Amino acid sequence: HGFVKCVCFLHRCFHGPIMILAVLLMPPPFTAGEICGFRVHGQNVPFEVVLVNGSTGEGAVRAKEKLDCELQKEHTFTIQAFDCGEGPDGTNMKKSHKATVHIQVNDVNEYSPAFKEKSYKATVVEGRRYDSILRVEAVDADCSFQFSQICSYEIVTPDVPFTIDKDGYIKNTEKLSYSKERVYKLTVTAYDCGKNRATEDVLVKISIKPTCKPGWQGWNKRMEYEPGTGSLALFPSMHLETCEEPITSIQARVELETSHIGKGCDRDTYSEKSLHRLCGATSGTAELLPAPSSSAHWTASLPTDNGHDSDQVFEFNGTQAVKVPEGVVSSSLAQPFTISVWMRHGPGGQDKETILCNSDKTEMNRHHYALYVHNCRLVFLLRQEPSESESYKPAEFHWKLDQVCNKEWHHYVLNVEFPTAALFVDGVSHEPFLVTEDYPLHAAKVQTQLTVGACWQDNSGHDTDNETNADTLTGGSMHMSQFFRGSLAGLMIRSGKLENKKVIDCLYTCKEGLDVQLPAEVADSVQFSPSQSSITLEGDDIESFDKVMQHISYLNSRQFPTPGIRHLRISTTVKCFNEEACVAVPDVEGYVTVLQPDEPRISLSGIDHFARGAAEFESVGGVTLFPELRIVSTITREVEPEAESEGDNDPTVQESVVSEEIMHNLDMCEVTAVGEELDAEHESLGVDLTQVQQRGLEASSSNVGMIITGVNTMANYEQLLHLIRYRNWNTEALFDRKFKLVCSELNGRYVSNEFKVEVNVIHTANPMDHANNAMAQPQFINPVQHASVDLSGHNLVNSHQASVVPSAATIVIVVCVSFLVFMIVLGVFRIRVAHQRSLRDQEGGKDSEMDWDDSALTITVNPMETYEDQHSSEEEEEDEESEDGEEDDITSAESESSEDEEGVGSEEQQGASRQQQLEWDDSTLTY
């Protein structure tokens, strides 16, 4: 047996027969040449063979199910033919050899193209022509090469400057402009080779970027800082754009410009003396340019810069200078000593400009020591006093500094320990470039004059560089010369001790500046300037560098910072592999606006009127002026109401004001005598100096009052003010004394109310005077106020100071008795009048028809009889008048108190009040 070998090609879904032929080589013995059937060999073969003609051996191969080219393109299996065998049961059946059948399934175009992505995005830079911006790609699920290939793509959106090729690459046909269009949206479709279109088109977004410019991006030019909120992040979203240039190193410098704020930045505006104590400097510091006050008057004529929140700055224009009074600084400085000053000075001429000068007061023209500016050099002159040695010694120390003439504020500290002088400018040490020597001064008994802003010298002297200004301050043949042009503040001399570096840094350090909290994963180097007004960053990784910049913040530690603008500047240098600046990054400029802080309201309260015995005033301890004083500071804030959604635009909803108590420091409290100044011969103000020193404060007294200075808490000031005592050891002519108290913070920036207190002296007479006073006539009783029973509100002053002053007990008794009699008489009279009026009204109602004309009648009433009747009916009507009498007492007391305040004599008023119902008209009487 054998098969004719054949290969069949079927279309997918073919289900009909395929004709095959089996040849009978050895016919069976019972039926020659007859085939009975076929068998298919293989697993899951979707075909079967059906016998068509047994005689000819013809059979048909047909599919048992629908075929799918995408699942299987080819099928291979084997078939075998067999005859019918011998006998009816088919014994000795013969089989043919196996034949292999190969079937290929042809494809039909049943699928359409589909894109791999739902949408496509790309970003391009304006002004460039790209060979390829992006590629879109679609696929077809058909199995044949013809129908599974994507033959073309098409941009459906009309009138766009883009084109697409057969492989899906999109490019622009013209240069794109960011100003014309920022984003293009394209619709793209695809076709397979059977011309089937994609089932869904795809969206392509092409964003246009402006021409890449290297620089910092993602920052705000204006930032607001609210006082008391800690640190403010300046660049939280900043990043550096380098336009994909290969970067090897980045260096940036962030600068905070505060030269227009105070003395170069925001510092505490306490007095320089207080600042020295805050920084740990010991006592012994003399302030040569203090704020003008009753105790420091020599700076009152100098013009000041009042634009920096009580930061006391003195202006010198080349014509002003002041003479420091004797006693402020010792005529001969005890070495070592320190001179410190804030100075702002611009480029000057060839003349010497004196900051500080100690020269001969009369006759001679010698400069003992001086600090001056000459040709942008700072020079310190120190001439040695006469000594046994006549050898040369260092006399002038010269420093050549750019800071002297750059028109900016700088802090200078000069530590002098002969024969050396060390200068610190803004906390940085500078060595003198030149030191000249000179002989010591010759012995002469001439007093010296210390001046600021010029030098006091003789007209005939040689050092008269500024003779044209000699008419400004003259004194005989002496005049001021070598005037200073610039600004000075905080000029101090500390004798006997040098300032250490810690104190110097503390005096210069700003209360505001830049800060950075580096993330742990960033290892870039960060450098601060001494004042923290600038930060320098270096790195090589852009991402890490951006993180550091995002952590830079502005910080102001003052409770009440100076409001205004602080300018910011960022300068950046970027280097590439050739170690050159390949990318030019422009500077960034912005500013921080410090908002106005809530201003505190300092309130002083307590007992403002009291009386004490004369003996207590004369005692060693004296009288406490402010026993129950309280110091409270509050701020007022506006709070927006929580309006509901419906009432957001309600015009009747108003902001509420909330008062909140706060704690802060004080730097001065002044007690001043009101009226006459204190007479040092018999009165004084005193305080325990030990308690003052323990709190780090200073107290000074004068004929005006007492001043306590120094920075400390309100609680400590309150405790110290409780200890202030007034003493008077000659109280015979004293009957009252008034004082006022004022406290302030930040060198007078915030001032409290004037708290006034009045103390009265209670005089006690001797025993013999008590008896005489009891028998005295009423006109000798002191006038007192009747509005209060408390003695603390009275001024017990006798109008005749030469007469004997009655005792306090006698005064109280007489006043009380007189007052009681007057009130009883007045109350009884009013009740009597009211009672008679009611009786007349009743009689008039009953007998109204019997009225007659009484206009011609004259009724005469004996007032003495009325007075007696009132007293006779007093006891009968006592219960009846109790309630009305109390009200009348109050009314009468208030009325009489008002009369006393108007200054009318008490005795005459009391007599008139008591007898106001006992008077009659005697104008017609003839004597």
Side-chain angles (χ1 to χ4, degrees), residues 25 102 113 122 180 190 227 270 316 333 373 384 398 404 435 578 580 598 615 631 652 686 722 729 811 823 842:
L25 300 178
H102 296 279
K180 181 179 179 181
Y270 296 118
F316 295 85
L333 287 177
V373 175
Q384 292 298 303
H398 297 250
V404 172
V435 178
N578 55 4
E580 294 182 359
D598 296 321
I631 304 177
T652 61
H722 289 168
W729 49 92
I811 294 173
M823 295 309 299
Q842 292 176 2

Side-chain angles (χ1 to χ4, degrees), residues 40-58:
V40 177
H41 298 278
Q43 293 182 351
N44 301 324
V45 177
F47 296 96
E48 62 182 358
V49 182
V50 180
L51 180 64
V52 178
N53 190 334
S55 300
T56 61
E58 183 180 357

Side-chain angles (χ1 to χ4, degrees), residues 812-834:
V812 172
I813 293 173
V814 173
V815 170
C816 291
V817 172
S818 302
F819 188 66
L820 181 60
V821 171
F822 169 71
M823 295 309 299
I824 292 174
V825 172
L826 182 60
V828 171
F829 172 74
R830 295 185 63 176
I831 295 173
R832 179 82 171 181
V833 171

Side-chain angles (χ1 to χ4, degrees), residues 850-900:
M850 300 176 65
D851 293 343
W852 63 83
D853 184 10
D854 57 357
S855 59
L857 293 179
T858 301
I859 300 174
T860 303
V861 179
N862 187 352
M864 296 305 295
E865 182 180 355
T866 305
Y867 181 75
E868 293 172 357
D869 292 342
Q870 290 175 356
H871 279 277
S872 62
S873 60
E874 178 182 347
E875 295 180 359
E876 297 175 3
E877 300 178 358
E878 184 175 1
D879 296 335
E880 193 176 346
E881 66 163 356
S882 57
E883 296 181 359
D884 294 336
E886 293 176 359
E887 297 178 358
D888 294 337
D889 289 345
I890 299 173
T891 305
S892 302
E894 294 175 352
S895 175
E896 189 170 355
S897 176
S898 301
E899 293 172 2
D900 290 344

Side-chain angles (χ1 to χ4, degrees), residues 56 193 415 551 605 683 701:
T56 61
C193 295
N415 279 339
H551 284 76
S605 60
E683 60 181 341
S701 299

Side-chain angles (χ1 to χ4, degrees), residues 1-3 22-30 34-41 78-86 90-99:
H1 298 77
F3 280 98
V23 180
L24 181 63
L25 300 178
M26 295 178 63
F30 64 92
E34 189 172 350
I35 301 299
C36 285
F38 299 92
R39 286 192 180 93
V40 177
H41 298 278
T78 59
I79 60 175
Q80 192 176 32
F82 59 89
D83 59 12
C84 295
E86 297 178 356
T91 58
N92 295 324
M93 181 180 61
K94 303 295 183 180
K95 298 179 181 180
S96 68
H97 67 275
K98 294 179 180 180

